[in-house]
C-alpha cells in the first residue's frame, strides 16, 4: 500500500481485495444478474464434466488456484474417478478453511488439503501420504488469469506447467464481447462490486492504520478497448491526504488507485498465451453466446 500511495499512477495488486469480507463480497458478485462469468462457467462445467473428467483421468491430485468458496470444483468432483486429493490454494486463509470444511462434509471420502498461500510465489505441494507422485491436474476457474498482465500470465502459467508436468490445467478464460455487457458486469445496479472495490480501503484502515475516507473515493470500472480489459479503479473525489505509518501522502482530485485489471481473451489468443508458457492446448468449451471459455491445457513431461 505504501508503494501504491507513493508512486503515480497509484497501483495495487488485486490479491489485497481478499480478506474475509472481500471473499464474502466476491461470493455475492457471483450471484449478481449482471455477472455472467460465474453462471456461464458453471454451465460449461456442468455440461462437459464427463469429458473434462476423462482428460483429468483417474486418481488425480487436483490443485485449485484461488479456490475461493470452491463451488465450481464440486461439478468436477462428482464426475471424477477416485481423485487422490484436492488441494485448494487461496490467499484468503479463513475463507479457505471454511470452504475446505464444507467440502469435507459433502465428500467424506475425499482428502482435502487446503493451502493458504500466494499462488504467484513458487508452490511447494505437500507429499501424498504414501510418498508417491500422482498425476497432477490444476484447476484455475473464474478467469482469474485475466487479473495478471500478459507477461505475468505467462510467468504464472510457466510455473504451473512445471508444477503439473505430465498432467494438465483446466482453466477458465473470459472472452471479448459487447462492451455494454462487460461494463454492466463490473458496474452492477446493487453496488456490490463498488463495495468489493472500496473494501480494499476499509481493509487498509483496519490492518495498516491508514485513514482513507471511503466516502471520498468512487468505484470506477470501464472497458479499455485498446488493451481489451476491464480496469477497476478507486477515483479520488477531491485532493486528500492519506496517513500511513507516520507518513502523509497526497492523492489529487480525479487521480485513481488502480485496483484490478480483468483481461478479456479470444480463444486463439488464449491458446497462444498457453503455448508460450509451455502448455499444449487441447479441447476448448464455449457457451452458445461465446461469452466464456474453458480450456484443457496439457502439461508436457
Ligand atoms: C475472482 S476470485 C475466484 C474464486 C473462484 N475460483 C471462482 O472461480 O469463483 C479469486 C480468488 O483467488 C484468490 N486469490 C487472488 N489472488 C491470489 C493469490 N495471489 N494467491 C492465492 N489466491 C489468490 C482470492 O482470494 C479469491 O478467492
Amino acid at each position: 500500500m505504501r508503494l501504491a500511495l507513493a508512486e503515480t499512477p497509484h497501483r495495487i495488486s488485486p490479491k489485497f481485495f481478499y480478506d474475509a469480507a472481500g471473499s464474502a463480497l466476491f461470493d455475492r458478485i457471483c450471484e449478481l444478474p449482471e455477472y455472467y462469468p460465474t453462471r456461464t462457467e458453471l454451465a460449461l462445467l456442468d455440461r462437459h464434466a464427463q469429458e473434462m473428467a476423462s482428460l483429468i483421468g483417474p486418481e488425480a491430485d487436483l490443485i485449485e488456484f484461488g479456490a475461493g468458496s470452491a463451488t465450481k470444483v464440486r461439478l468436477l468432483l462428482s464426475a471424477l474417478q477416485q481423485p487422490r486429493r484436492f488441494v485448494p490454494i487461496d490467499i484468503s486463509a479463513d475463507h479457505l478453511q471454511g470452504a475446505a470444511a464444507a467440502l469435507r462434509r459433502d465428500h467424506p471420502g475425499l482428502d482435502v488439503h487446503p493451502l493458504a498461500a500466494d499462488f504467484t510465489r513458487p508452490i511447494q505441494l505437500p507429499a501424498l501420504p504414501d510418498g508417491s507422485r500422482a498425476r497432477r491436474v490444476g484447476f484455475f476457474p473464474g478467469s482469474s488469469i485475466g487479473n495478471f498482465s500478459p507477461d505475468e500470465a505467462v510467468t504464472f502459467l510457466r510455473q504451473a506447467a512445471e508444477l503439473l508436468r505430465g498432467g494438465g490445467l483446466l482453466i477458465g478464460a473470459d472472452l471479448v464481447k459487447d462492451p455494454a455487457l462487460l461494463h454492466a458486469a463490473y458496474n452492477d445496479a446493487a453496488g456490490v462490486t463498488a463495495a468489493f472495490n472500496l473494501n480494499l480501503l476499509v481493509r487498509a484502515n483496519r490492518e495498516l492504520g491508514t485513514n482513507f475516507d471511503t466516502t471520498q473515493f468512487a468505484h470506477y470500472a470501464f472497458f479499455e478497448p485498446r488493451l481489451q480489459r476491464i480496469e477497476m479503479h478507486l477515483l479520488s473525489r477531491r485532493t486528500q491526504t492519506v496517513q500511513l505509518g507516520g507518513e502523509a501522502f497526497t492523492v489529487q482530485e480525479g487521480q485513481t488507485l488502480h485496483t484490478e485489471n480483468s483481461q478479456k481473451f479470444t480463444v486463439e489468443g488464449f491458446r497462444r498465451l498457453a503455448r508460450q508458457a509451455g502448455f499444449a492446448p487441447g479441447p476448448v468449451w464455449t457457451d452458445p453466446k461465446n461469452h466464456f471459455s474453458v480450456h484443457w491445457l496439457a502439461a508436457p513431461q
Side-chain angles (χ1 to χ4, degrees):
M1 179 55 84
R2 194 195 167 278
L3 214 59
L5 286 169
E7 291 184 351
T8 46
H10 305 295
R11 278 198 223 102
I12 189 157
S13 164
K15 68 185 177 191
F16 296 112
F17 280 139
Y18 297 96
D19 61 351
S23 294
L25 281 164
F26 182 75
D27 280 352
R28 285 179 57 201
I29 290 175
C30 292
E31 304 283 320
L32 292 168
E34 296 95 333
Y35 198 72
Y36 63 86
T38 304
R39 63 172 176 276
T40 312
E41 190 177 33
L42 279 169
L44 288 172
L45 293 169
D46 189 34
R47 193 166 316 133
H48 304 289
Q50 287 304 334
E51 204 184 333
M52 293 169 180
S54 68
L55 286 159
I56 292 170
E59 300 185 8
D61 198 3
L62 186 63
I63 299 126
E64 181 169 355
F65 302 98
S69 291
T71 307
K72 292 170 182 167
V73 77
R74 287 165 180 262
L75 293 169
L76 290 180
L77 288 173
S78 49
L80 282 184
Q81 240 183 299
Q82 294 168 330
R84 280 293 295 277
R85 177 171 68 171
F86 175 53
V87 183
I89 301 176
D90 208 286
I91 204 163
S92 190
D94 292 345
H95 196 80
L96 175 68
Q97 293 305 335
L103 263 182
R104 284 194 195 102
R105 246 189 336 265
D106 298 340
H107 293 264
L110 183 68
D111 177 9
V112 181
H113 199 122
L115 211 57
D118 182 338
F119 57 51
T120 60
R121 307 247 165 88
I123 289 159
Q124 207 59 46
L125 279 187
L128 282 163
D130 63 1
S132 66
R133 189 192 192 281
R135 175 178 162 82
R136 289 180 181 170
V137 172
F139 183 46
F140 195 24
S143 202
S144 293
I145 189 73
N147 297 147
F148 292 128
S149 70
D151 284 350
E152 289 167 347
V154 171
T155 302
F156 171 83
L157 289 173
R158 274 217 180 100
Q159 187 184 306
E162 172 60 26
L163 183 78
L164 305 170
R165 63 185 188 285
L169 176 65
L170 190 65
I171 181 167
D174 198 8
L175 299 177
V176 284
K177 60 181 65 61
D178 181 349
L181 277 177
L182 287 171
H183 190 269
Y186 293 84
N187 290 279
D188 62 280
V192 184
T193 313
F196 173 74
N197 199 6
L198 284 159
N199 178 59
L200 190 77
L201 305 184
V202 178
R203 179 182 189 190
N205 286 348
R206 191 184 56 247
E207 293 185 16
L208 307 174
T210 48
N211 64 336
F212 283 109
D213 178 350
T214 54
T215 66
Q216 295 306 317
F217 285 88
H219 166 69
Y220 180 46
F222 57 91
F223 182 62
E224 213 291 68
R226 200 174 51 87
L227 298 171
Q228 304 218 298
R229 69 187 192 191
I230 287 280
E231 290 193 9
M232 203 147 88
H233 296 251
L234 289 163
L235 187 144
S236 181
R237 296 185 196 271
R238 59 174 170 82
T239 297
Q240 46 189 321
T241 303
V242 179
Q243 305 284 340
L244 170 61
E247 286 181 276
F249 299 91
T250 301
V251 184
Q252 302 291 336
E253 178 178 359
Q255 270 188 345
T256 71
L257 189 58
H258 188 168
T259 51
E260 189 182 70
N261 292 319
S262 184
Q263 186 73 42
K264 305 305 163 192
F265 302 93
T266 61
V267 166
E268 213 21 74
F270 189 75
R271 286 165 66 88
R272 249 195 325 271
L273 193 77
R275 260 184 231 110
Q276 234 181 301
F279 280 105
V284 186
W285 301 271
T286 55
D287 57 294
K289 291 182 179 160
N290 242 18
H291 281 176
F292 202 90
S293 58
V294 177
H295 300 243
W296 172 256
L297 308 177
Q301 210 27 279

